Amino acid sequence: MAFLRRQLVTAALTVNAIRPLPGLRAGIPSFAAGWMTNELAPHLLALTAADTVAHLGPKRGNKAGLAVAALSMAGLGYLVRTANQVQKGVEEALSEGIGVDYVERLDAAPTPAELATDWRSLVNPFKLLNPEVEVIRDIAYTDAGRRGKLDIYRAKGQELSDAPVLLQVHGGGWTIGDKREQGLPLMMELAAKGWICVAINYRLSPRNAFPAHIIDVKKSIAWIRENIAAYGGDRDYLAITGGSAGGHLAALAALTPHVKEFQPGFEDVDTSVQVAVPHYGLYDFAGATGLRSMILMRDKFLAPRIMQKRWKDDPEAFEAASPILQITPEAPDFFVMHGTNDTLVPVEQARLFVARLREISKSSVVYAELPVAQHAYEIFKSIRAGHVTKAVDRYLHWHWNGYRQGVEPSDVDADQLIDRAQDDADTSS
């Protein structure tokens, strides 16, 4: 019976990963159960197979348990295959968004071996630090104590000068999280290749109401502009990324270099960025998309916990906090990613955000929708995280090389832009 119980638990986890429960309340436990199952599907598949083999035979066999185990392994195999297909999906997204010839701007075209899943790295998916990368920890960029500190990641033993800079903003629902916990696979990949990566803490709710969070992100950009050259970085080139709340803050910072209300006391500092890569971000604080999920999140969570005011009392504050309402023709280049099975931030608002970017912005927009992916898919090493990290690596090197060469990133093939606009119109209709 113990074998059957284990297999029933595994089956329930697998079903939830494939078909998670929707809704504001159900979405949180559904995420908690589905995220790890999804990203650790190969490990769970191996454990289930080993457990099943151990219980084969006429004396030890449990027919019900074996049947459930077979179904679980089929579902877990589906999750593994879907994660592996991300490589093709992100490549198609890059080709659509910046042109099929984008690889010509890379230092070298990736080989099939480089694009393939690195199975050895998955043996210990939580081993994230790279011995080739040094970390300079807890540099103060504001006077907010622990919440006002940042870490710098850079290649060990290299003399760097005018290196591209990536700013990583952690997620955690604007209420929890730490700079040491997120973005590590990407930062390790880029830092080992000569980038300077900066991971920040920022003030959190409920102790601090919004806009304290975005003000701190802006302060970190100001700090980078003034100080990053001393660490080998190019003060004039900055990419920004983050997931969840960090995706929201990264997108909002990228779209609001002109909003002085987010820069009290340093209104004249340049806080622009050259490119933004938000993962599974929330782009609609105001409920402007009309999506019921966003309106519920606004009224049940964002208003009392983060904004600490009611929407009807100050709708302008919610609108100012919504990246989807801050898009201008001067928006920087974007690479947006979101999972179709995200139960914390439904994928529909990412689609609307991307459609709005493509409608208004003069810059390039890449969008990769990841089938079956839950929230937080790139926190640690997994099949999906590996393909996402490699895709962002290619994209950012494409962008950086174009910046160095004076090439406008938005110079993609005109026919592709027309086709893409027609596809968006067909989808909207």
Side-chain angles (χ1 to χ4, degrees), residues 303-323:
R305 294 279 292 175
I306 312 305
M307 303 296 290
Q308 298 177 18
K309 62 179 71 175
R310 295 185 300 178
W311 174 76
K312 66 179 182 180
D313 293 336
D314 192 358
E316 291 82 6
F318 288 79
E319 292 168 359
S322 301

Side-chain angles (χ1 to χ4, degrees), residues 190-211:
L190 291 177
K193 294 180 178 179
W195 284 61
I196 303 293
C197 298
V198 181
I200 64 167
N201 278 341
Y202 53 88
R203 288 173 291 170
L204 300 173
S205 297
R207 183 172 184 177
N208 300 279
F210 194 89

Side-chain angles (χ1 to χ4, degrees), residues 130-421:
N130 185 337
E132 298 178 1
V133 175
E134 67 172 338
V135 187
I136 306 171
R137 298 218 182 263
D138 294 329
I139 302 171
Y141 74 93
T142 74
D143 58 0
R146 186 173 69 88
R147 302 309 311 174
K149 293 184 178 181
L150 57 82
D151 296 340
I152 292 178
Y153 296 77
R154 63 181 184 179
K156 188 179 297 183
Q158 290 189 24
E159 290 293 331
L160 299 173
S161 177
D162 293 331
V165 182
L166 175 76
L167 173 59
Q168 156 68 28
V169 186
H170 72 75
W174 304 272
T175 62
I176 59 175
D178 186 85
K179 55 185 169 60
R180 302 188 185 201
E181 298 171 350
Q182 299 176 28
L184 287 169
L186 178 61
M187 290 194 294
M188 290 297 157
E189 185 80 14
L190 291 177
K193 294 180 178 179
W195 284 61
I196 303 293
C197 298
V198 181
I200 64 167
N201 278 341
Y202 53 88
R203 288 173 291 170
L204 300 173
S205 297
R207 183 172 184 177
N208 300 279
F210 194 89
H213 320 69
I214 188 63
I215 290 172
D216 285 356
V217 174
K218 297 277 192 172
K219 285 181 178 179
S220 73
I221 295 174
W223 185 94
I224 288 170
R225 293 270 187 248
E226 183 175 353
N227 297 281
I228 204 64
Y231 298 90
D234 184 344
R235 68 182 303 275
D236 295 321
Y237 183 89
L238 179 59
I240 189 168
T241 189
S244 193
H248 160 260
L249 293 169
L252 187 62
L255 293 167
T256 58
H258 56 286
V259 177
K260 304 305 181 185
E261 291 78 6
F262 293 158
Q263 299 182 207
F266 60 110
E267 292 85 353
D268 296 330
V269 175
D270 177 13
T271 60
S272 63
V273 302
Q274 280 58 57
V275 60
V277 186
H279 298 268
Y280 45 89
L282 192 148
Y283 307 111
D284 180 18
F285 265 47
T289 57
L291 295 171
R292 184 172 181 271
S293 58
M294 293 299 99
I295 294 173
L296 284 173
M297 184 176 290
R298 179 196 72 191
D299 294 339
K300 300 297 184 181
F301 176 68
L302 295 174
R305 294 279 292 175
I306 312 305
M307 303 296 290
Q308 298 177 18
K309 62 179 71 175
R310 295 185 300 178
W311 174 76
K312 66 179 182 180
D313 293 336
D314 192 358
E316 291 82 6
F318 288 79
E319 292 168 359
S322 301
I324 197 169
L325 298 179
Q326 301 302 319
I327 300 169
T328 67
E330 290 71 38
D333 301 284
F334 266 83
F335 185 2
V336 180
M337 276 170 281
H338 214 102
T340 62
N341 277 15
D342 195 321
T343 58
L344 298 186
V345 183
V347 68
E348 287 80 9
Q349 54 87 54
R351 295 169 182 166
L352 293 171
F353 177 64
V354 169
R356 188 71 171 163
L357 273 172
R358 288 174 170 172
E359 176 187 353
I360 297 175
S361 173
K362 296 178 182 178
S363 300
S364 65
V365 181
V366 178
Y367 177 53
E369 196 166 287
L370 311 180
V372 193
Q374 250 289 2
H375 209 69
Y377 51 74
E378 53 25 297
I379 299 296
F380 54 84
K381 293 179 181 178
S382 68
I383 296 173
R384 183 177 288 104
H387 292 314
V388 166
T389 297
K390 293 173 185 177
V392 176
D393 176 289
R394 296 197 299 279
Y395 173 75
L396 288 178
H397 276 93
W398 167 86
H399 197 278
W400 164 243
N401 287 339
Y403 171 83
R404 289 192 299 171
Q405 298 164 13
V407 178
E408 289 293 330
S410 55
D411 288 345
V412 298
D413 185 81
D415 291 335
Q416 288 185 343
L417 289 175
I418 294 171
D419 291 342
R420 187 175 68 187

